[in-house]
Amino acid sequence: MTSPQVTEATEEGYERGLGSRQVQMIAIGGAIGVGLFLGAGANIAKAGPSLIAMYALAGLIIFFIMRALGELLLYRPVSGSFAEYSREFLGPFFGFFTGWTYWLMWVVTGMAELTAAAIYVHYWFPAVPQWVTALVFLVVLFVANLISVKVFGEIEFWFSMVKVTALIGMIVIGLGVLTFGFSAAGDTATVSNLWEFDGFFPKGVGSSLMTLQGVMFAYLAVELVGVTAGESENPEKTLPKAINTLPWRIALFYVGALTVILCVVKWTEFAPGVSPFVKAFAVIGIPAGAGIVNFVVLTAALSSCNSGMYSTGRMLRTLADNGEAPRFFSRLSSSKTPALGITVSVAFMGIGVVLNYIVPEKAFGYVTSVATAAGIWTWLMILISHVLYRRGVESGRLRASSFPAPGGSKCSYVAIAFLLFVTGLIAYDADSRVCLYVMAVWAAALAVGWAVLKNRNPQVAERHEPQLEKVG
């Protein structure tokens, strides 16, 4: 018997208003964010050229995660995505925990994006305090976000188009400098910059591995395509295509872009808090180019924050429809957006403004570590759900997905081990360890909340047969 709550969560009220063009570009844009544009600067200073290998390794694991998610999405495409799969395969508590933790991830990611945007504006207006800029962007994006899903998709399409076009342009210019030797960097730009300054691992393999937590933050939001599943016009076609293009996106935009930049500018010139792309253009000797790149990365930060507002509102609605959040979060505005959920989420994102006021130099590091920890939990739930789903398929209890992950659940086991290793690195690092304390407090709060919820409404702890939508 299908739960009425599950039925409501999967389809009632939302429009399937995201076309193939928009889903594709949201998926591409989701892989290009502030973690690459700003966070890479600090990581280059820590690991040197070996950061390229860290992005490639993490990118492979992300592909395993997305193929696992893709198999689940084509088995049952729902707007609740990973929270719904956690609920189905691990139990109601895990659905509750995952839904709220994914909400937390996007709230703190929004804080990180606001911090990054404030840093980018500081490039032009150094006299303006970071917290003022962060507050202005928060209010503007909040007002812009109370729109229909079609308008959201169109805005994200053009935001992503700007990011993609700019990155390709930077790669082409960098290759031109390397090949033809023009510009102020022409005399020093060479592929040997990747190993000439104390080798490919200048700070040691251990130091390179410690950057994995920052690298994983750069990949947060690739799973956003899963949240769009409930509002995609044709998930059977658009989702596999979006996921299968992930390897070349990672190879081009992360590995390719960083390789070109580190060939043009030696790694010792990069420093935390400065976008490596802006720095590269400044060294090449195109001041206007650096300003343009700064505008592009500002766009990237605002795009990601905008996506965060989209995700949090919909995740709160899914939780409300399952009786795991206040019922008023399930209401939709006249434009069919979960406006109340977005409003509450934006209010919490405002904490990022406070952090920018209190500790502007550390705000980005704090919120990225918390976001990474929440993201790792979400990815683990996707992978564990996939392993349990594959067992159900192999035993004949569940229908097979039309988009099976290569290697079955083997790659999911590899990805689980990798994510646990990264968690160990976070625990080892004194600066990022604070996020595990935050997550421990968060877990305790959710455990108390679940106990109260179950006491008031015992039905939320009951397993229900999932609704299988017809797709395609």
Side-chain angles (χ1 to χ4, degrees):
M1 187 86 181
T2 303
S3 163
Q5 286 98 340
V6 173
T7 303
E8 187 180 336
T10 55
E11 58 185 9
E12 187 174 327
Y14 287 136
E15 292 181 84
R16 286 199 179 273
L18 294 176
S20 175
R21 172 178 63 93
Q22 294 164 329
V23 172
Q24 289 295 319
M25 199 53 77
I26 287 171
I28 292 173
I32 308 169
V34 70
L36 172 63
F37 284 125
L38 181 61
N43 288 325
I44 289 172
K46 290 179 183 176
S50 64
L51 184 64
I52 298 167
M54 297 302 104
Y55 270 104
L57 173 61
L60 178 64
I61 299 301
I62 289 296
F63 180 62
F64 291 164
I65 294 170
M66 289 303 293
R67 281 306 302 258
L69 177 58
E71 183 165 0
L72 292 169
L73 286 172
L74 271 295
Y75 152 69
R76 188 164 73 95
V78 289
S79 58
S81 194
F82 5 91
E84 286 294 316
Y85 303 132
S86 300
R87 184 174 291 109
E88 177 181 351
F89 296 108
L90 289 102
F93 172 73
F94 286 93
F96 168 81
F97 196 102
T98 301
W100 277 108
T101 301
Y102 192 65
W103 173 84
L104 174 71
M105 187 200 90
W106 268 113
V107 165
V108 293
T109 298
M111 294 180 195
E113 306 295 358
L114 288 170
T115 301
I119 291 172
Y120 296 143
V121 170
H122 194 260
Y123 173 84
W124 291 303
F125 306 104
V128 178
Q130 272 186 216
W131 72 269
V132 172
T133 310
L135 178 60
V136 170
F137 283 138
L138 180 70
V139 173
V140 171
L141 283 177
F142 169 60
V143 173
N145 212 262
L146 301 181
I147 51 178
S148 71
V149 68
K150 288 183 179 179
V151 177
F152 163 80
E154 199 61 28
I155 289 173
E156 283 305 304
F157 173 84
W158 289 108
F159 267 155
S160 296
M161 185 68 79
V162 169
K163 291 187 285 187
V164 169
T165 303
L167 265 181
I168 292 174
M170 284 186 275
I171 291 172
V172 170
I173 291 172
L175 289 174
V177 172
L178 280 169
T179 306
F180 302 108
F182 63 80
S183 87
D187 294 336
T188 56
T190 170
V191 177
S192 63
N193 282 339
L194 295 178
W195 59 81
E196 270 194 356
F197 300 92
D198 298 323
F200 190 69
F201 291 89
K203 301 280 184 80
V205 176
S207 183
S208 299
L209 290 175
M210 290 304 294
T211 65
L212 280 174
Q213 50 187 305
V215 169
M216 295 307 288
F217 173 76
Y219 286 121
L220 291 183
V222 294
E223 76 291 325
L224 180 63
V225 70
V227 181
T228 69
E231 295 173 270
S232 301
E233 288 177 353
N234 192 349
E236 180 89 345
K237 292 182 179 179
T238 58
L239 296 179
K241 187 176 180 182
I243 291 170
N244 278 335
T245 56
L246 188 66
W248 73 258
R249 281 185 268 136
I250 289 172
L252 178 65
F253 298 130
Y254 282 88
V255 178
L258 280 175
T259 300
V260 170
I261 282 178
L262 289 170
C263 287
V264 172
V265 183
K266 57 180 181 285
W267 73 269
T268 52
E269 295 190 27
F270 294 99
V274 178
S275 169
F277 297 91
V278 173
K279 174 68 176 177
F281 267 79
V283 172
I284 289 172
I286 313 175
I292 292 170
V293 173
N294 202 63
F295 170 75
V296 171
V297 295
L298 172 62
T299 301
L302 297 180
S303 166
S304 186
C305 189
N306 191 41
S307 295
M309 292 181 186
Y310 168 88
S311 302
T312 51
R314 278 145 184 84
M315 193 56 73
L316 282 181
R317 185 173 188 246
T318 296
L319 288 163
D321 284 334
N322 283 284
E324 296 166 351
R327 293 293 297 177
F328 53 74
F329 284 129
S330 65
R331 298 175 194 156
L332 293 178
S333 67
S334 58
S335 58
K336 295 189 177 181
T337 61
L340 191 57
I342 293 171
T343 302
V344 171
S345 301
V346 167
F348 277 94
M349 287 181 190
I351 296 172
V353 177
V354 178
L355 284 175
N356 273 282
Y357 178 73
I358 299 172
V359 283
E361 71 286 349
K362 294 185 177 180
F364 186 75
Y366 284 156
V367 294
T368 54
S369 62
V370 174
T372 303
I376 286 174
W377 173 270
T378 300
W379 290 334
L380 281 172
M381 289 300 99
I382 291 171
L383 294 165
I384 295 171
S385 296
H386 178 249
V387 168
L388 296 176
Y389 165 71
R390 290 293 306 184
R391 288 180 186 174
V393 171
E394 289 162 8
S395 67
R397 290 186 296 105
L398 298 173
R399 72 175 189 185
S401 170
S402 60
F403 187 48
S409 56
K410 294 184 182 66
C411 291
S412 290
Y413 281 117
V414 172
I416 289 170
F418 180 85
L419 292 179
L420 292 176
F421 173 68
V422 173
T423 304
L425 293 178
I426 292 173
Y428 179 76
D429 184 24
D431 289 334
S432 61
R433 194 183 303 148
V434 65
C435 76
L436 297 182
Y437 302 142
V438 172
M439 289 303 294
V441 173
W442 176 253
L446 286 183
V448 171
W450 178 253
V452 172
L453 188 65
K454 194 165 61 168
N455 185 54
R456 289 182 178 178
N457 182 14
Q459 287 185 335
V460 299
E462 296 176 4
R463 283 181 179 262
H464 299 282
E465 288 298 317
Q467 176 187 3
L468 297 179
E469 286 190 27
K470 184 180 183 303
V471 297

